[in-house]
Amino acid sequence: MGAKRQNLAARLGVWSAHHRRTAILGWLVFVVLATVVGGATGTVTASDDEMGTGDSARATKILDDAGIDEPASELVMVGAKSPDGWRDAAADLSRALDRTGRVTALKEPLPSKDGKEALLRFQIKGKSDDAADQVQPVLDAVDRAKDAGAEHGVTVHQFGDASSEKHLNDLLADDLKKAEFTAVPLALGILLVAFGAVVAALLPVGLALTACVAAFGLLSLASHRLHLFETTFSVMFLMGLAVGVDYCLFYLRRERDERAAGHDAETALRIAAATSGRAVLVSGLTVMVAMAGMFLSGLLLFKGFAIATILVVCVAMLGSVTVLPALLAWLGDRIDAGRIPFLNRRSRKGVHASGSVAGSLLKPVLAKPAFFAVAATALLLALAAPALGMKTEQLGLEKQFGSDAPLSVSFREITAEFPGGPEPALVVAKADDIRSAPARDALRELTRRAGKGAELTVHARQNVAEIAVPLPGSGTGAEAKKALAELRADVRDVRAGTGSAHGPALTAYVGGDLAESEDFTDQLGEGIVPVFLFIAAVTFLLMLVSFRSVVVAVTSIALNLLSVGAAYGVMTAVFQHGWGASLIGSEKVGAIENWMPLFVLVVLFGLSMDYHVFVVSRIREARDRGLGNADAIREGITRTAGAVTGAAVIMVAVFAVFGMLSMQDMQQMGVGLGVAVLLDATVVRMVLLPSLMSLLGERNWHTPRYLRWLPQVSHDEPAPAARPASPTWQHV
């Protein structure tokens, strides 16, 4: 195959093909070692003390530094149809709870205003981080009381730190298992249709899964330096499967197209390595750098997402440009083993049927590019319009699990009769001497301002004090947020008024669930701007270096923003306004999970590069061979249509699985990403991109004089004609 020079992807592909045993065994050894070492070291998850930011994080740090561990508290409400009808059931339940050996600080039942309900308050023994693992006997005792009470018209509802955390952990585990057992067969089925052969379909799924397994091991190692959230592994699997299959699909599709066009095995593999392999490297690098932008958010959650996605994309990318060409060289014609009749029919020139369909759809677009550019842009802007009214918040349990979930029902029932009980605000104060007169005066003033129901606890030995302050309503609504803001203002006033010549006598901050949610949301608002600027800048630079074109770099960012905007709009319409939410088993929640916009922005900027780099590289390849702008666009779009369609269908299918899971944030993530990828592969790549490039003409490829120092990154020129296969590449 004639070429002026070989790019890195081509050199990697040729080396792997000639040293296929080394490449394949090396990959297997790497996967096994990463899995074994990661499993042996275990995974370190983030504790409650590490999750926060702002004043609430400072309040938590005071308690943590003092060695004060807030026990996990639980609430059980026993109700009856008549006043005091709950007494016998409550007494029996109290004795049953005590017999579990897991309960401490069990208080006398607290009657409601009408006397028909009573609240049992207690804590789970041991450390709060271990409470979810210790609460099962308590849950069993409450369930037995619930069953016994049903016969006598007595209702029992439980809610608390340990029970909700256990429910969340169990739900996450079940959802991840459901995603794994659903997404993989879906991807395999789609690949069977795309390739029409069992072996060709198994190869991308196998490589993607091994990449995920290896990345899981590496992430376990990384978790010892950067502690992780439980959802991080779900995100890694979603990204790893989607990206891993896509990269292999692009590479394998190009190799099969070149073989079908008449090239021998060696030439076809060299062309695939130099073109699709290069696109995989550029795309993978862009995704990884984009994901690194999440480190600028200042939040541990996003730092975990960043390291997880960077690891899995890196492993998938390396596997696609090393072990994949080795496997293709080893398999040879056996890649088509297990052919499925009537699927994957091609023309003699190797053009997949989807390319013919794409060609037909492309004719009117290239004939009237201005009309279709305006129409496609208007459609995406219309879909994005609902995002102008997007509201974000940290979704409470009722919204997260659904209003009909047992835990949500219990939460609602308890807060209705005992407002603010489950989630009080917590004022945490420290002083050099908490028993000094100025500190006592400040604590007394803080307790007075906190109002009725505030409970002061002083830890004299640690010089720390806590004031639990009930919040109105459910403890999470607008009324509670207003009360929290007033409480924080009071704390700042008292803190400022305790100063002396030697400094403040008392340092105090407000924590608690609502305070943590508000601080988290505020930090997200501050972090999204630098993250976006970073991602836009690195995307621009990578596209500029890859294509030596300012126009291609700018349009890349513009097209990605349109996709992100449309995703935001659909998410807002479905989950905030409830339009069509019931179709996916969800419901209107009135807001978007506060971390979702930033996450979707980063992920989509990365994933959009898959299609964009792949398609634009093929257009540039045709342009470099001397084709005119319109002909190059037509060839690039039609030749990549099969791979882009297959990759998009797989990604949308994987994201759709997450869109139908139990938790609201997983549903929002799945729908947002799925819709964006679908629009990106259809409206953007099939209509907006070709129409825009057609209008821009030769300006697409113009390199300004001041940028001509950039290196020329090109692919190898494919051989003009087929030749006999090299015996050194024949399979054994």
Side-chain angles (χ1 to χ4, degrees):
M1 178 175 65
K4 295 180 179 180
R5 59 178 174 177
Q6 289 184 337
N7 59 44
L8 176 61
R11 293 197 297 272
L12 287 172
V14 170
W15 183 92
S16 298
H18 281 289
H19 303 84
R20 53 185 178 271
R21 288 186 179 88
T22 302
I24 295 171
L25 290 176
W27 175 259
L28 293 176
V29 169
F30 163 68
V31 172
V32 171
L33 282 178
T35 304
V36 171
V37 174
T41 58
T43 302
V44 181
T45 56
S47 65
D48 294 341
D49 301 337
E50 301 174 281
M51 296 181 183
T53 185
D55 280 0
S56 59
R58 297 182 183 97
T60 303
K61 182 169 174 45
I62 290 174
L63 296 175
D64 186 48
D65 291 343
I68 300 171
D69 181 37
E70 290 294 321
S73 60
E74 288 290 315
L75 302 172
V76 178
M77 186 177 74
V78 182
K81 296 179 179 179
S82 59
D84 295 335
W86 47 265
R87 290 192 178 276
D88 291 341
D92 292 340
L93 179 55
S94 296
R95 288 190 290 269
L97 291 172
D98 189 59
R99 286 195 298 269
T100 64
R102 306 292 174 87
V103 169
T104 185
L106 178 60
K107 298 181 180 179
E108 290 294 323
L110 176 66
S112 62
K113 290 182 178 180
D114 61 6
K116 294 182 179 181
E117 293 87 11
L119 191 66
L120 297 178
R121 297 159 293 166
F122 56 92
Q123 296 170 344
I124 304 299
K125 287 183 178 179
K127 295 182 178 180
S128 58
D129 289 342
D130 300 329
D133 298 326
Q134 304 296 323
V135 75
Q136 188 59 53
V138 175
L139 296 176
D140 294 339
V142 173
D143 286 341
R144 288 192 294 269
K146 189 180 301 183
D147 293 338
E151 300 176 1
H152 303 91
V154 175
T155 60
V156 180
H157 296 285
Q158 180 179 6
F159 182 86
D161 298 329
S163 56
S164 58
E165 184 179 353
K166 178 173 174 53
H167 182 73
L168 174 63
N169 293 342
D170 292 345
L171 200 58
L172 280 173
D174 291 343
D175 278 356
L176 182 57
K177 186 180 297 183
K178 178 181 177 181
E180 290 173 347
F181 284 100
T182 306
V184 173
L186 268 177
L188 183 59
I190 294 166
L191 288 170
L192 282 172
V193 175
F195 288 122
V198 174
V199 174
L202 286 172
L203 199 56
V205 173
L207 280 176
L209 288 178
T210 54
C212 287
V213 169
F216 278 140
L218 296 177
L219 185 60
S220 295
L221 285 174
S223 71
H224 290 267
R225 295 297 301 272
L226 183 69
H227 299 171
L228 305 173
F229 286 69
E230 291 82 357
T231 54
T232 305
F233 287 92
S234 299
V235 171
M236 172 181 264
F237 174 74
L238 177 143
M239 290 291 297
L241 183 62
V243 171
V245 170
D246 277 6
Y247 289 166
C248 294
L249 177 59
F250 293 158
Y251 204 115
L252 183 54
R253 172 71 74 186
R254 183 60 185 264
E255 191 271 346
R256 284 166 61 88
D257 284 348
E258 297 301 331
R259 288 295 302 275
H263 290 110
D264 59 81
E266 178 181 352
T267 302
L269 190 54
R270 284 177 184 263
I271 294 173
T275 54
S276 291
R278 172 184 176 272
V280 166
L281 286 180
V282 174
S283 175
L285 180 62
T286 305
V287 173
M288 288 188 288
V289 176
M291 296 302 174
M294 287 191 280
F295 285 114
L296 300 177
S297 66
L299 293 167
L300 184 63
L301 173 68
F302 286 97
K303 293 177 182 178
F305 286 163
I307 193 66
T309 50
I310 289 172
L311 283 174
V312 77
V313 170
C314 182
V315 174
M317 178 188 71
L318 293 177
S320 298
V321 297
T322 55
V323 71
L324 180 58
L327 287 168
L328 291 176
W330 172 61
L331 288 169
D333 292 335
R334 290 180 293 185
I335 190 69
D336 289 323
R339 283 185 177 275
I340 300 174
F342 309 113
L343 290 180
N344 195 34
R345 292 189 295 178
R346 298 168 180 269
S347 69
R348 292 182 179 180
K349 293 183 179 181
V351 179
H352 194 269
S354 59
S356 300
V357 174
S360 300
L361 295 174
L362 202 57
K363 285 181 181 179
V365 174
L366 294 179
K368 296 182 179 180
F371 170 79
F372 282 96
V374 172
T377 302
L379 173 61
L380 293 173
L381 290 176
L383 290 173
L388 296 175
M390 179 189 288
K391 298 177 182 178
T392 61
E393 65 180 50
Q394 188 170 353
L395 299 178
L397 291 173
E398 183 177 359
K399 294 180 179 179
Q400 189 69 264
F401 299 140
S403 59
D404 294 333
L407 202 65
S408 300
V409 173
S410 294
F411 176 80
R412 229 173 19 248
E413 293 292 331
I414 293 175
T415 54
E417 296 299 329
F418 300 92
E423 300 181 29
L426 188 67
V427 180
V428 179
K430 71 173 182 177
D432 293 335
D433 183 3
I434 202 70
R435 292 168 293 189
S436 66
R440 289 200 308 270
D441 291 342
L443 289 174
R444 192 178 301 113
E445 178 64 14
L446 282 173
T447 306
R448 184 189 68 78
R449 293 197 183 194
K452 183 180 179 181
E455 296 182 4
L456 171 65
T457 303
V458 177
H459 306 277
R461 188 169 59 86
Q462 294 94 341
N463 286 315
V464 171
E466 301 173 81
I467 305 173
V469 183
L471 294 173
S474 65
T476 59
E479 190 179 0
K481 291 178 181 179
K482 180 181 178 181
L484 176 67
E486 293 173 352
L487 177 62
R488 283 184 154 171
D490 289 339
V491 169
R492 286 192 295 269
D493 289 344
V494 173
R495 188 172 62 203
T498 61
S500 67
H502 304 288
L506 191 73
T507 300
Y509 301 101
V510 180
D513 290 347
L514 182 60
E516 290 171 1
S517 173
E518 292 293 284
D519 289 341
F520 190 90
T521 301
D522 291 343
Q523 180 61 40
L524 279 174
E526 295 175 5
I528 195 168
V529 174
V531 171
F532 169 73
L533 292 177
F534 174 83
I535 293 172
V538 298
T539 300
F540 177 84
L541 292 175
L542 285 170
M543 292 297 100
L544 187 64
V545 171
S546 299
F547 297 102
R548 301 179 82 239
S549 169
V550 174
V551 171
V552 169
V554 171
T555 54
S556 298
I557 295 173
L559 295 179
N560 283 348
L561 285 177
L562 284 172
S563 297
V564 171
Y568 283 176
V570 173
M571 289 167 56
T572 303
V574 173
F575 298 104
Q576 183 173 316
H577 301 304
W579 302 346
S582 60
L583 298 177
I584 60 170
S586 186
E587 61 186 9
K588 174 183 176 180
V589 294
I592 303 299
E593 179 70 33
N594 54 10
W595 58 267
M596 198 60 61
L598 179 57
F599 177 79
V600 169
L601 169 71
V602 176
V603 171
L604 287 182
F605 248 85
L607 291 182
S608 293
M609 288 298 101
D610 280 357
Y611 307 126
H612 194 74
V613 171
F614 189 62
V615 174
V616 176
S617 294
R618 198 66 182 264
I619 296 173
R620 180 61 184 264
E621 179 186 333
R623 183 68 184 82
D624 289 346
R625 291 204 315 270
L627 293 183
N629 188 60
D631 291 335
I633 294 171
R634 183 179 295 105
E635 178 172 316
I637 297 292
T638 55
R639 291 286 183 176
T640 57
V644 169
T645 301
V649 172
I650 290 170
M651 273 199 180
V652 171
V654 171
F655 294 148
V657 171
F658 278 78
M660 290 183 281
L661 296 180
S662 305
M663 295 184 61
Q664 177 71 204
D665 54 2
M666 292 292 105
Q667 292 178 345
Q668 292 183 4
M669 179 174 67
V671 169
L673 295 178
V675 167
V677 169
L678 179 62
L679 292 171
D680 198 65
T682 54
V683 177
V684 173
R685 304 303 160 202
M686 290 298 299
V687 180
L688 188 54
L689 175 65
S691 61
L692 193 59
M693 293 188 75
S694 179
L695 290 171
L696 291 170
E698 293 303 314
R699 283 171 290 184
N700 288 307
W701 315 115
H702 174 67
T703 303
R705 182 177 300 176
Y706 60 87
L707 292 176
R708 289 177 184 172
W709 56 270
L710 288 172
Q712 179 72 48
V713 185
S714 64
H715 54 269
D716 290 344
E717 291 287 342
R723 58 176 175 163
S726 170
T728 60
W729 284 34
Q730 293 299 306
H731 60 267
V732 294

